[in-house]
Amino acid sequence: MIVEDISAALQDLAIPEKKEFFPRFFKTGEGEYGEGDLFLGVKVPDQRMVAKAFYEKISLKELKQLLSSKYHEERLTALLMLVLKFEKAKKDKTVQQEVVDFYLNNLEFVNNWDLVDSTCYKILGRFAFENDQPELLRKLSKSDEMWHKRIAVVGTMHYIKKGEFELTKEFVVRNLKHPHDLMHKANGWLLREMGGKDEQELLDFLNLHYKEMPRTCLRYAIEKLDENLRQDYLKGII
């Protein structure tokens, strides 16, 4: 079966040192955000290679089996194949809708920052933008689940690339005071990307909100600004 072939391919690419390192890197200890996750020790470029080799051959039903794996790399490889299926579909809205529905129906397995960040804007963000369906992301932004909230804001990356910023700003404001550092980082990252496209948009947003932004979010957002301006924001003297 193809799922077994993919699993075997990933096992062959496993590196013992990475298997030891990844659980610490992805915070899998008790009470941490990745608690209980298991790793094979496969680097992301190797996962992309496997995904490219198999994505045209695997059905969504088989992909579900891989995505529900206890191993982190098998889940990420499944999601990378889903991205490739979506991109391959190009203008085939029926296939794209099937991929989007599959993604949304299996969010429980998109449960770490790399799984989110590598895939959500390439599938959900792009689909929402091209089909004028911002509610698709907005609903996730209002969810109680942190990973859903991160999917929503990172999903707006596609909007930013197209020069549209309102959805990003809306989601950042909604979850500005979220208790988890992973949301602070995501919000700051997307604001920084917005600033990369239009610095004045970022400055206008910061001038309204920077004093209430968590420090991590602010640092991420202003990372590429002029150093003197960065220091003014950090010192609160704008």
Side-chain angles (χ1 to χ4, degrees):
M1 286 180 62
I2 191 168
V3 174
E4 282 74 15
D5 291 342
I6 294 169
S7 296
L10 291 171
Q11 288 277 4
D12 288 343
L13 293 164
I15 301 170
E17 293 80 7
K18 295 295 183 183
K19 185 177 181 179
E20 292 294 318
F21 170 72
F22 285 155
R24 298 192 300 273
F25 183 72
F26 287 102
K27 308 296 183 184
T28 63
E30 184 176 353
E32 294 182 309
Y33 62 77
E35 181 176 354
D37 208 354
L38 299 177
F39 290 82
L40 297 168
V42 185
K43 296 186 294 184
V44 172
D46 289 337
Q47 293 176 63
R48 292 190 183 279
M49 178 180 67
V50 171
K52 189 173 182 179
F54 285 97
Y55 83 96
E56 291 182 294
K57 307 170 189 175
I58 193 168
S59 68
L60 290 181
K61 183 177 179 180
E62 292 165 326
L63 204 60
K64 170 64 179 284
Q65 183 180 342
L66 192 68
L67 183 57
S68 59
S69 171
K70 63 183 179 180
Y71 291 110
H72 188 103
E73 292 95 334
E74 291 190 351
R75 299 200 305 282
L76 179 54
T77 300
L79 289 167
L80 293 173
M81 286 192 282
L82 199 64
V83 170
L84 291 169
K85 282 181 175 293
F86 183 88
E87 293 174 344
K88 177 78 170 181
K90 295 183 180 178
K91 299 299 182 180
D92 190 333
K93 296 299 182 182
T94 300
V95 173
Q96 288 191 340
Q97 184 69 64
E98 289 175 353
V99 170
V100 167
D101 290 344
F102 180 91
Y103 195 102
L104 291 172
N105 289 333
N106 290 281
L107 289 178
E108 63 187 291
F109 305 114
V110 190
N111 57 355
N112 212 315
W113 58 265
D114 61 322
L115 306 180
V116 170
D117 298 355
S118 300
T119 62
C120 67
Y121 72 92
K122 296 179 180 180
I123 297 176
L124 299 188
R126 177 179 165 188
F127 187 85
F129 179 85
E130 292 181 348
N131 295 278
D132 192 23
Q133 294 186 30
E135 268 315 310
L136 187 153
L137 296 175
R138 186 174 284 117
K139 182 178 178 181
L140 294 174
S141 179
K142 295 176 180 178
S143 168
D144 292 334
E145 295 289 334
M146 180 184 71
W147 297 123
H148 295 183
K149 291 180 181 295
R150 185 166 175 124
I151 287 169
V153 72
V154 177
T156 68
M157 178 74 79
H158 190 85
Y159 284 74
I160 291 173
K161 289 177 181 292
K162 298 298 183 179
E164 294 194 12
F165 312 122
E166 293 308 310
L167 210 59
T168 302
K169 293 188 285 186
E170 174 190 330
F171 294 172
V172 169
V173 170
R174 175 173 294 121
N175 293 300
L176 193 63
K177 298 297 184 67
H178 191 279
H180 205 291
D181 190 60
L182 283 173
M183 281 304 300
H184 303 168
K185 291 177 179 178
N187 287 337
W189 169 33
L190 270 295
L191 290 175
R192 184 180 70 218
E193 292 296 317
M194 182 177 75
K197 290 288 287 188
D198 188 329
E199 186 172 291
Q200 192 58 51
E201 283 280 351
L202 173 59
L203 296 179
D204 290 345
F205 183 90
L206 290 173
N207 292 343
L208 286 174
H209 300 288
Y210 85 96
K211 289 187 177 179
E212 60 181 324
M213 292 169 67
R215 202 68 168 174
T216 297
C217 179
L218 178 61
R219 287 187 178 279
Y220 270 60
I222 65 176
E223 185 177 7
K224 294 185 178 180
L225 295 180
D226 172 80
E227 180 60 23
N228 290 331
L229 189 55
R230 285 184 66 254
Q231 292 303 320
D232 287 346
Y233 277 116
L234 290 171
K235 294 172 183 175
I237 57 175
I238 295 295

